[in-house]
Amino acid sequence: MNTILVVDDEPAIRALVRATLESSGYRLLEAPDGVSALSIAQRERPDLVLLDIALPRVNGLDVCRRLKADPATAHAQVLFLTGLPHHPDQRASQEAGAVDTITKPFSPAALVARVGQALRRPALAPR
């Protein structure tokens, strides 16, 4: 069973993602901010991180860079979640190590499909 860490400061988004992905057979972990996300990822070693870009304490781009720089978490695929309709820094997301960006609001079916695609990708070597 794949483990997914959902990082978003909005409890409603975390609840929606949890309900959607648990019913598809994934194990879910949650974090409300970047600092908590890094701690949980280090301890639990998730297969995938769904990561909001605009987070308190440490933003999503920095969290992604830190995950990819740490050999213990570098294997995790990262999908960004953003409420920005035209994510202004797609290149920075890819350079940080994310494999995709999902725009909020999203359909549950699209979320399941994109998560499945990301989990089938081979993990990148640590940077």
PDB file of all heavy atoms in Angstrom, residues 64-100:
ATOM      1  N   CYS A  64       9.801  21.035  -0.971  1.00  0.00           N
ATOM      2  CA  CYS A  64      10.134  20.119  -2.058  1.00  0.00           C
ATOM      3  C   CYS A  64      11.653  20.016  -2.232  1.00  0.00           C
ATOM      4  O   CYS A  64      12.199  18.917  -2.339  1.00  0.00           O
ATOM      5  CB  CYS A  64       9.462  20.573  -3.351  1.00  0.00           C
ATOM      6  SG  CYS A  64       9.677  19.422  -4.721  1.00  0.00           S
ATOM      7  N   ARG A  65      12.322  21.147  -2.249  1.00  0.00           N
ATOM      8  CA  ARG A  65      13.788  21.135  -2.396  1.00  0.00           C
ATOM      9  C   ARG A  65      14.444  20.338  -1.274  1.00  0.00           C
ATOM     10  O   ARG A  65      15.376  19.563  -1.502  1.00  0.00           O
ATOM     11  CB  ARG A  65      14.322  22.564  -2.402  1.00  0.00           C
ATOM     12  CG  ARG A  65      14.044  23.315  -3.672  1.00  0.00           C
ATOM     13  CD  ARG A  65      14.699  24.707  -3.650  1.00  0.00           C
ATOM     14  NE  ARG A  65      14.142  25.535  -4.680  1.00  0.00           N
ATOM     15  CZ  ARG A  65      13.246  26.495  -4.490  1.00  0.00           C
ATOM     16  NH1 ARG A  65      12.821  26.809  -3.281  1.00  0.00           N
ATOM     17  NH2 ARG A  65      12.776  27.191  -5.515  1.00  0.00           N
ATOM     18  N   ARG A  66      13.966  20.534  -0.058  1.00  0.00           N
ATOM     19  CA  ARG A  66      14.547  19.823   1.094  1.00  0.00           C
ATOM     20  C   ARG A  66      14.266  18.318   1.021  1.00  0.00           C
ATOM     21  O   ARG A  66      15.132  17.502   1.352  1.00  0.00           O
ATOM     22  CB  ARG A  66      14.012  20.401   2.400  1.00  0.00           C
ATOM     23  CG  ARG A  66      14.525  21.800   2.667  1.00  0.00           C
ATOM     24  CD  ARG A  66      14.002  22.303   3.987  1.00  0.00           C
ATOM     25  NE  ARG A  66      14.220  23.731   4.148  1.00  0.00           N
ATOM     26  CZ  ARG A  66      13.917  24.401   5.248  1.00  0.00           C
ATOM     27  NH1 ARG A  66      13.377  23.783   6.283  1.00  0.00           N
ATOM     28  NH2 ARG A  66      14.136  25.692   5.324  1.00  0.00           N
ATOM     29  N   LEU A  67      13.068  17.956   0.614  1.00  0.00           N
ATOM     30  CA  LEU A  67      12.753  16.541   0.457  1.00  0.00           C
ATOM     31  C   LEU A  67      13.670  15.889  -0.571  1.00  0.00           C
ATOM     32  O   LEU A  67      14.181  14.787  -0.356  1.00  0.00           O
ATOM     33  CB  LEU A  67      11.294  16.353   0.032  1.00  0.00           C
ATOM     34  CG  LEU A  67      10.214  16.691   1.046  1.00  0.00           C
ATOM     35  CD1 LEU A  67       8.844  16.658   0.386  1.00  0.00           C
ATOM     36  CD2 LEU A  67      10.269  15.742   2.242  1.00  0.00           C
ATOM     37  N   LYS A  68      13.869  16.559  -1.681  1.00  0.00           N
ATOM     38  CA  LYS A  68      14.688  15.995  -2.757  1.00  0.00           C
ATOM     39  C   LYS A  68      16.178  15.993  -2.415  1.00  0.00           C
ATOM     40  O   LYS A  68      16.928  15.182  -2.938  1.00  0.00           O
ATOM     41  CB  LYS A  68      14.431  16.753  -4.068  1.00  0.00           C
ATOM     42  CG  LYS A  68      13.033  16.537  -4.613  1.00  0.00           C
ATOM     43  CD  LYS A  68      12.786  15.059  -4.838  1.00  0.00           C
ATOM     44  CE  LYS A  68      11.436  14.760  -5.416  1.00  0.00           C
ATOM     45  NZ  LYS A  68      11.257  13.325  -5.672  1.00  0.00           N
ATOM     46  N   ALA A  69      16.605  16.882  -1.522  1.00  0.00           N
ATOM     47  CA  ALA A  69      18.018  16.940  -1.134  1.00  0.00           C
ATOM     48  C   ALA A  69      18.370  15.905  -0.065  1.00  0.00           C
ATOM     49  O   ALA A  69      19.547  15.601   0.130  1.00  0.00           O
ATOM     50  CB  ALA A  69      18.355  18.338  -0.628  1.00  0.00           C
ATOM     51  N   ASP A  70      17.381  15.358   0.606  1.00  0.00           N
ATOM     52  CA  ASP A  70      17.610  14.404   1.687  1.00  0.00           C
ATOM     53  C   ASP A  70      17.515  12.978   1.126  1.00  0.00           C
ATOM     54  O   ASP A  70      16.467  12.581   0.629  1.00  0.00           O
ATOM     55  CB  ASP A  70      16.554  14.624   2.776  1.00  0.00           C
ATOM     56  CG  ASP A  70      16.737  13.725   3.982  1.00  0.00           C
ATOM     57  OD1 ASP A  70      17.481  12.721   3.901  1.00  0.00           O
ATOM     58  OD2 ASP A  70      16.128  14.023   5.019  1.00  0.00           O
ATOM     59  N   PRO A  71      18.586  12.196   1.205  1.00  0.00           N
ATOM     60  CA  PRO A  71      18.530  10.824   0.670  1.00  0.00           C
ATOM     61  C   PRO A  71      17.411   9.970   1.265  1.00  0.00           C
ATOM     62  O   PRO A  71      16.910   9.065   0.601  1.00  0.00           O
ATOM     63  CB  PRO A  71      19.903  10.239   1.030  1.00  0.00           C
ATOM     64  CG  PRO A  71      20.792  11.426   1.194  1.00  0.00           C
ATOM     65  CD  PRO A  71      19.914  12.531   1.727  1.00  0.00           C
ATOM     66  N   ALA A  72      16.964  10.280   2.478  1.00  0.00           N
ATOM     67  CA  ALA A  72      15.896   9.511   3.113  1.00  0.00           C
ATOM     68  C   ALA A  72      14.528   9.772   2.489  1.00  0.00           C
ATOM     69  O   ALA A  72      13.635   8.936   2.582  1.00  0.00           O
ATOM     70  CB  ALA A  72      15.845   9.817   4.609  1.00  0.00           C
ATOM     71  N   THR A  73      14.358  10.928   1.859  1.00  0.00           N
ATOM     72  CA  THR A  73      13.049  11.292   1.300  1.00  0.00           C
ATOM     73  C   THR A  73      13.095  11.604  -0.198  1.00  0.00           C
ATOM     74  O   THR A  73      12.060  11.883  -0.798  1.00  0.00           O
ATOM     75  CB  THR A  73      12.469  12.513   2.045  1.00  0.00           C
ATOM     76  OG1 THR A  73      13.405  13.593   1.977  1.00  0.00           O
ATOM     77  CG2 THR A  73      12.169  12.179   3.495  1.00  0.00           C
ATOM     78  N   ALA A  74      14.263  11.552  -0.797  1.00  0.00           N
ATOM     79  CA  ALA A  74      14.409  11.934  -2.206  1.00  0.00           C
ATOM     80  C   ALA A  74      13.585  11.059  -3.149  1.00  0.00           C
ATOM     81  O   ALA A  74      13.213  11.499  -4.239  1.00  0.00           O
ATOM     82  CB  ALA A  74      15.883  11.901  -2.607  1.00  0.00           C
ATOM     83  N   HIS A  75      13.282   9.831  -2.739  1.00  0.00           N
ATOM     84  CA  HIS A  75      12.514   8.914  -3.587  1.00  0.00           C
ATOM     85  C   HIS A  75      11.059   9.350  -3.767  1.00  0.00           C
ATOM     86  O   HIS A  75      10.403   8.945  -4.719  1.00  0.00           O
ATOM     87  CB  HIS A  75      12.532   7.510  -2.975  1.00  0.00           C
ATOM     88  CG  HIS A  75      11.689   7.431  -1.740  1.00  0.00           C
ATOM     89  ND1 HIS A  75      12.129   7.906  -0.522  1.00  0.00           N
ATOM     90  CD2 HIS A  75      10.413   7.002  -1.546  1.00  0.00           C
ATOM     91  CE1 HIS A  75      11.162   7.750   0.375  1.00  0.00           C
ATOM     92  NE2 HIS A  75      10.109   7.207  -0.213  1.00  0.00           N
ATOM     93  N   ALA A  76      10.544  10.144  -2.842  1.00  0.00           N
ATOM     94  CA  ALA A  76       9.120  10.514  -2.860  1.00  0.00           C
ATOM     95  C   ALA A  76       8.791  11.377  -4.069  1.00  0.00           C
ATOM     96  O   ALA A  76       9.482  12.347  -4.356  1.00  0.00           O
ATOM     97  CB  ALA A  76       8.747  11.259  -1.576  1.00  0.00           C
ATOM     98  N   GLN A  77       7.732  11.012  -4.768  1.00  0.00           N
ATOM     99  CA  GLN A  77       7.235  11.857  -5.847  1.00  0.00           C
ATOM    100  C   GLN A  77       6.512  13.040  -5.199  1.00  0.00           C
ATOM    101  O   GLN A  77       5.867  12.874  -4.160  1.00  0.00           O
ATOM    102  CB  GLN A  77       6.270  11.081  -6.740  1.00  0.00           C
ATOM    103  CG  GLN A  77       6.878   9.888  -7.418  1.00  0.00           C
ATOM    104  CD  GLN A  77       7.889  10.249  -8.494  1.00  0.00           C
ATOM    105  OE1 GLN A  77       8.288  11.398  -8.671  1.00  0.00           O
ATOM    106  NE2 GLN A  77       8.330   9.253  -9.237  1.00  0.00           N
ATOM    107  N   VAL A  78       6.620  14.210  -5.809  1.00  0.00           N
ATOM    108  CA  VAL A  78       5.953  15.399  -5.276  1.00  0.00           C
ATOM    109  C   VAL A  78       5.012  15.959  -6.333  1.00  0.00           C
ATOM    110  O   VAL A  78       5.408  16.193  -7.473  1.00  0.00           O
ATOM    111  CB  VAL A  78       6.978  16.483  -4.865  1.00  0.00           C
ATOM    112  CG1 VAL A  78       6.259  17.755  -4.405  1.00  0.00           C
ATOM    113  CG2 VAL A  78       7.896  15.963  -3.756  1.00  0.00           C
ATOM    114  N   LEU A  79       3.764  16.146  -5.933  1.00  0.00           N
ATOM    115  CA  LEU A  79       2.760  16.827  -6.751  1.00  0.00           C
ATOM    116  C   LEU A  79       2.378  18.090  -5.996  1.00  0.00           C
ATOM    117  O   LEU A  79       1.992  18.011  -4.823  1.00  0.00           O
ATOM    118  CB  LEU A  79       1.501  15.980  -6.933  1.00  0.00           C
ATOM    119  CG  LEU A  79       1.600  14.692  -7.715  1.00  0.00           C
ATOM    120  CD1 LEU A  79       0.261  13.970  -7.708  1.00  0.00           C
ATOM    121  CD2 LEU A  79       2.025  14.967  -9.134  1.00  0.00           C
ATOM    122  N   PHE A  80       2.488  19.233  -6.653  1.00  0.00           N
ATOM    123  CA  PHE A  80       2.059  20.465  -6.007  1.00  0.00           C
ATOM    124  C   PHE A  80       0.560  20.640  -6.150  1.00  0.00           C
ATOM    125  O   PHE A  80      -0.031  20.290  -7.173  1.00  0.00           O
ATOM    126  CB  PHE A  80       2.758  21.679  -6.632  1.00  0.00           C
ATOM    127  CG  PHE A  80       4.122  21.928  -6.067  1.00  0.00           C
ATOM    128  CD1 PHE A  80       5.239  21.877  -6.874  1.00  0.00           C
ATOM    129  CD2 PHE A  80       4.297  22.226  -4.726  1.00  0.00           C
ATOM    130  CE1 PHE A  80       6.496  22.110  -6.360  1.00  0.00           C
ATOM    131  CE2 PHE A  80       5.558  22.460  -4.200  1.00  0.00           C
ATOM    132  CZ  PHE A  80       6.662  22.397  -5.014  1.00  0.00           C
ATOM    133  N   LEU A  81      -0.043  21.188  -5.112  1.00  0.00           N
ATOM    134  CA  LEU A  81      -1.438  21.631  -5.121  1.00  0.00           C
ATOM    135  C   LEU A  81      -1.397  23.150  -5.051  1.00  0.00           C
ATOM    136  O   LEU A  81      -0.675  23.708  -4.239  1.00  0.00           O
ATOM    137  CB  LEU A  81      -2.180  21.124  -3.879  1.00  0.00           C
ATOM    138  CG  LEU A  81      -2.402  19.641  -3.736  1.00  0.00           C
ATOM    139  CD1 LEU A  81      -2.963  19.324  -2.355  1.00  0.00           C
ATOM    140  CD2 LEU A  81      -3.349  19.151  -4.805  1.00  0.00           C
ATOM    141  N   THR A  82      -2.148  23.810  -5.900  1.00  0.00           N
ATOM    142  CA  THR A  82      -2.159  25.268  -5.850  1.00  0.00           C
ATOM    143  C   THR A  82      -3.547  25.802  -6.143  1.00  0.00           C
ATOM    144  O   THR A  82      -4.278  25.240  -6.952  1.00  0.00           O
ATOM    145  CB  THR A  82      -1.133  25.880  -6.828  1.00  0.00           C
ATOM    146  OG1 THR A  82      -1.162  27.297  -6.703  1.00  0.00           O
ATOM    147  CG2 THR A  82      -1.410  25.494  -8.266  1.00  0.00           C
ATOM    148  N   GLY A  83      -3.882  26.878  -5.474  1.00  0.00           N
ATOM    149  CA  GLY A  83      -5.135  27.571  -5.731  1.00  0.00           C
ATOM    150  C   GLY A  83      -4.986  28.627  -6.808  1.00  0.00           C
ATOM    151  O   GLY A  83      -5.960  29.265  -7.200  1.00  0.00           O
ATOM    152  N   LEU A  84      -3.767  28.814  -7.287  1.00  0.00           N
ATOM    153  CA  LEU A  84      -3.513  29.805  -8.329  1.00  0.00           C
ATOM    154  C   LEU A  84      -3.902  29.220  -9.681  1.00  0.00           C
ATOM    155  O   LEU A  84      -3.366  28.183 -10.076  1.00  0.00           O
ATOM    156  CB  LEU A  84      -2.030  30.201  -8.338  1.00  0.00           C
ATOM    157  CG  LEU A  84      -1.484  30.736  -7.018  1.00  0.00           C
ATOM    158  CD1 LEU A  84       0.033  30.884  -7.096  1.00  0.00           C
ATOM    159  CD2 LEU A  84      -2.139  32.056  -6.674  1.00  0.00           C
ATOM    160  N   PRO A  85      -4.820  29.847 -10.416  1.00  0.00           N
ATOM    161  CA  PRO A  85      -5.293  29.258 -11.674  1.00  0.00           C
ATOM    162  C   PRO A  85      -4.198  29.133 -12.729  1.00  0.00           C
ATOM    163  O   PRO A  85      -4.207  28.217 -13.522  1.00  0.00           O
ATOM    164  CB  PRO A  85      -6.403  30.200 -12.134  1.00  0.00           C
ATOM    165  CG  PRO A  85      -6.197  31.459 -11.373  1.00  0.00           C
ATOM    166  CD  PRO A  85      -5.482  31.109 -10.113  1.00  0.00           C
ATOM    167  N   HIS A  86      -3.254  30.040 -12.712  1.00  0.00           N
ATOM    168  CA  HIS A  86      -2.126  29.975 -13.642  1.00  0.00           C
ATOM    169  C   HIS A  86      -0.876  30.049 -12.792  1.00  0.00           C
ATOM    170  O   HIS A  86      -0.374  31.133 -12.500  1.00  0.00           O
ATOM    171  CB  HIS A  86      -2.158  31.119 -14.659  1.00  0.00           C
ATOM    172  CG  HIS A  86      -3.407  31.113 -15.477  1.00  0.00           C
ATOM    173  ND1 HIS A  86      -3.667  30.179 -16.427  1.00  0.00           N
ATOM    174  CD2 HIS A  86      -4.496  31.920 -15.440  1.00  0.00           C
ATOM    175  CE1 HIS A  86      -4.849  30.413 -16.970  1.00  0.00           C
ATOM    176  NE2 HIS A  86      -5.379  31.457 -16.380  1.00  0.00           N
ATOM    177  N   HIS A  87      -0.425  28.880 -12.376  1.00  0.00           N
ATOM    178  CA  HIS A  87       0.727  28.802 -11.488  1.00  0.00           C
ATOM    179  C   HIS A  87       1.891  29.572 -12.107  1.00  0.00           C
ATOM    180  O   HIS A  87       2.375  29.221 -13.174  1.00  0.00           O
ATOM    181  CB  HIS A  87       1.074  27.339 -11.258  1.00  0.00           C
ATOM    182  CG  HIS A  87       2.280  27.098 -10.427  1.00  0.00           C
ATOM    183  ND1 HIS A  87       2.589  27.856  -9.321  1.00  0.00           N
ATOM    184  CD2 HIS A  87       3.250  26.190 -10.546  1.00  0.00           C
ATOM    185  CE1 HIS A  87       3.708  27.403  -8.807  1.00  0.00           C
ATOM    186  NE2 HIS A  87       4.120  26.392  -9.530  1.00  0.00           N
ATOM    187  N   PRO A  88       2.332  30.648 -11.454  1.00  0.00           N
ATOM    188  CA  PRO A  88       3.303  31.541 -12.073  1.00  0.00           C
ATOM    189  C   PRO A  88       4.717  30.988 -12.164  1.00  0.00           C
ATOM    190  O   PRO A  88       5.521  31.495 -12.918  1.00  0.00           O
ATOM    191  CB  PRO A  88       3.280  32.771 -11.159  1.00  0.00           C
ATOM    192  CG  PRO A  88       2.866  32.239  -9.837  1.00  0.00           C
ATOM    193  CD  PRO A  88       1.925  31.106 -10.136  1.00  0.00           C
ATOM    194  N   ASP A  89       5.019  29.950 -11.429  1.00  0.00           N
ATOM    195  CA  ASP A  89       6.393  29.500 -11.402  1.00  0.00           C
ATOM    196  C   ASP A  89       6.500  28.002 -11.664  1.00  0.00           C
ATOM    197  O   ASP A  89       7.086  27.260 -10.891  1.00  0.00           O
ATOM    198  CB  ASP A  89       7.023  29.871 -10.064  1.00  0.00           C
ATOM    199  CG  ASP A  89       8.493  30.208 -10.207  1.00  0.00           C
ATOM    200  OD1 ASP A  89       9.073  29.868 -11.263  1.00  0.00           O
ATOM    201  OD2 ASP A  89       9.053  30.789  -9.285  1.00  0.00           O
ATOM    202  N   GLN A  90       5.930  27.556 -12.768  1.00  0.00           N
ATOM    203  CA  GLN A  90       5.950  26.137 -13.134  1.00  0.00           C
ATOM    204  C   GLN A  90       7.382  25.637 -13.263  1.00  0.00           C
ATOM    205  O   GLN A  90       7.701  24.533 -12.831  1.00  0.00           O
ATOM    206  CB  GLN A  90       5.182  25.928 -14.448  1.00  0.00           C
ATOM    207  CG  GLN A  90       4.989  24.488 -14.819  1.00  0.00           C
ATOM    208  CD  GLN A  90       4.004  23.766 -13.926  1.00  0.00           C
ATOM    209  OE1 GLN A  90       3.152  24.378 -13.290  1.00  0.00           O
ATOM    210  NE2 GLN A  90       4.119  22.464 -13.843  1.00  0.00           N
ATOM    211  N   ARG A  91       8.241  26.457 -13.817  1.00  0.00           N
ATOM    212  CA  ARG A  91       9.640  26.054 -13.986  1.00  0.00           C
ATOM    213  C   ARG A  91      10.306  25.836 -12.626  1.00  0.00           C
ATOM    214  O   ARG A  91      11.037  24.865 -12.423  1.00  0.00           O
ATOM    215  CB  ARG A  91      10.397  27.098 -14.794  1.00  0.00           C
ATOM    216  CG  ARG A  91      11.808  26.695 -15.080  1.00  0.00           C
ATOM    217  CD  ARG A  91      12.473  27.648 -16.025  1.00  0.00           C
ATOM    218  NE  ARG A  91      13.844  27.220 -16.227  1.00  0.00           N
ATOM    219  CZ  ARG A  91      14.790  27.983 -16.681  1.00  0.00           C
ATOM    220  NH1 ARG A  91      14.514  29.224 -17.033  1.00  0.00           N
ATOM    221  NH2 ARG A  91      16.002  27.526 -16.826  1.00  0.00           N
ATOM    222  N   ALA A  92      10.051  26.722 -11.680  1.00  0.00           N
ATOM    223  CA  ALA A  92      10.614  26.577 -10.335  1.00  0.00           C
ATOM    224  C   ALA A  92      10.106  25.302  -9.683  1.00  0.00           C
ATOM    225  O   ALA A  92      10.855  24.627  -8.964  1.00  0.00           O
ATOM    226  CB  ALA A  92      10.281  27.789  -9.479  1.00  0.00           C
ATOM    227  N   SER A  93       8.851  24.938  -9.927  1.00  0.00           N
ATOM    228  CA  SER A  93       8.293  23.702  -9.382  1.00  0.00           C
ATOM    229  C   SER A  93       9.052  22.488  -9.908  1.00  0.00           C
ATOM    230  O   SER A  93       9.416  21.593  -9.150  1.00  0.00           O
ATOM    231  CB  SER A  93       6.814  23.552  -9.760  1.00  0.00           C
ATOM    232  OG  SER A  93       6.057  24.582  -9.214  1.00  0.00           O
ATOM    233  N   GLN A  94       9.288  22.466 -11.192  1.00  0.00           N
ATOM    234  CA  GLN A  94      10.017  21.356 -11.791  1.00  0.00           C
ATOM    235  C   GLN A  94      11.464  21.334 -11.317  1.00  0.00           C
ATOM    236  O   GLN A  94      12.012  20.270 -11.024  1.00  0.00           O
ATOM    237  CB  GLN A  94       9.941  21.435 -13.311  1.00  0.00           C
ATOM    238  CG  GLN A  94       8.543  21.166 -13.827  1.00  0.00           C
ATOM    239  CD  GLN A  94       8.402  21.438 -15.311  1.00  0.00           C
ATOM    240  OE1 GLN A  94       9.208  22.129 -15.910  1.00  0.00           O
ATOM    241  NE2 GLN A  94       7.349  20.895 -15.896  1.00  0.00           N
ATOM    242  N   GLU A  95      12.081  22.500 -11.221  1.00  0.00           N
ATOM    243  CA  GLU A  95      13.464  22.560 -10.746  1.00  0.00           C
ATOM    244  C   GLU A  95      13.575  22.117  -9.288  1.00  0.00           C
ATOM    245  O   GLU A  95      14.594  21.559  -8.878  1.00  0.00           O
ATOM    246  CB  GLU A  95      14.035  23.966 -10.926  1.00  0.00           C
ATOM    247  CG  GLU A  95      14.309  24.298 -12.379  1.00  0.00           C
ATOM    248  CD  GLU A  95      14.731  25.744 -12.606  1.00  0.00           C
ATOM    249  OE1 GLU A  95      14.759  26.533 -11.631  1.00  0.00           O
ATOM    250  OE2 GLU A  95      15.043  26.072 -13.758  1.00  0.00           O
ATOM    251  N   ALA A  96      12.538  22.359  -8.500  1.00  0.00           N
ATOM    252  CA  ALA A  96      12.532  21.922  -7.106  1.00  0.00           C
ATOM    253  C   ALA A  96      12.386  20.408  -6.993  1.00  0.00           C
ATOM    254  O   ALA A  96      12.714  19.823  -5.977  1.00  0.00           O
ATOM    255  CB  ALA A  96      11.409  22.625  -6.343  1.00  0.00           C
ATOM    256  N   GLY A  97      11.873  19.777  -8.057  1.00  0.00           N
ATOM    257  CA  GLY A  97      11.743  18.322  -8.076  1.00  0.00           C
ATOM    258  C   GLY A  97      10.338  17.786  -8.182  1.00  0.00           C
ATOM    259  O   GLY A  97      10.127  16.580  -8.119  1.00  0.00           O
ATOM    260  N   ALA A  98       9.347  18.650  -8.344  1.00  0.00           N
ATOM    261  CA  ALA A  98       7.959  18.192  -8.477  1.00  0.00           C
ATOM    262  C   ALA A  98       7.732  17.581  -9.856  1.00  0.00           C
ATOM    263  O   ALA A  98       8.319  18.019 -10.840  1.00  0.00           O
ATOM    264  CB  ALA A  98       6.995  19.348  -8.263  1.00  0.00           C
ATOM    265  N   VAL A  99       6.859  16.579  -9.912  1.00  0.00           N
ATOM    266  CA  VAL A  99       6.559  15.926 -11.177  1.00  0.00           C
ATOM    267  C   VAL A  99       5.308  16.470 -11.839  1.00  0.00           C
ATOM    268  O   VAL A  99       5.091  16.240 -13.029  1.00  0.00           O
ATOM    269  CB  VAL A  99       6.445  14.388 -11.039  1.00  0.00           C
ATOM    270  CG1 VAL A  99       7.769  13.796 -10.608  1.00  0.00           C
ATOM    271  CG2 VAL A  99       5.336  13.989 -10.095  1.00  0.00           C
ATOM    272  N   ASP A 100       4.481  17.207 -11.070  1.00  0.00           N
ATOM    273  CA  ASP A 100       3.229  17.702 -11.638  1.00  0.00           C
ATOM    274  C   ASP A 100       2.641  18.757 -10.698  1.00  0.00           C
ATOM    275  O   ASP A 100       3.056  18.866  -9.540  1.00  0.00           O
ATOM    276  CB  ASP A 100       2.234  16.549 -11.801  1.00  0.00           C
ATOM    277  CG  ASP A 100       1.125  16.825 -12.800  1.00  0.00           C
ATOM    278  OD1 ASP A 100       1.059  17.953 -13.346  1.00  0.00           O
ATOM    279  OD2 ASP A 100       0.308  15.916 -13.040  1.00  0.00           O
TER     280      ASP A 100
END
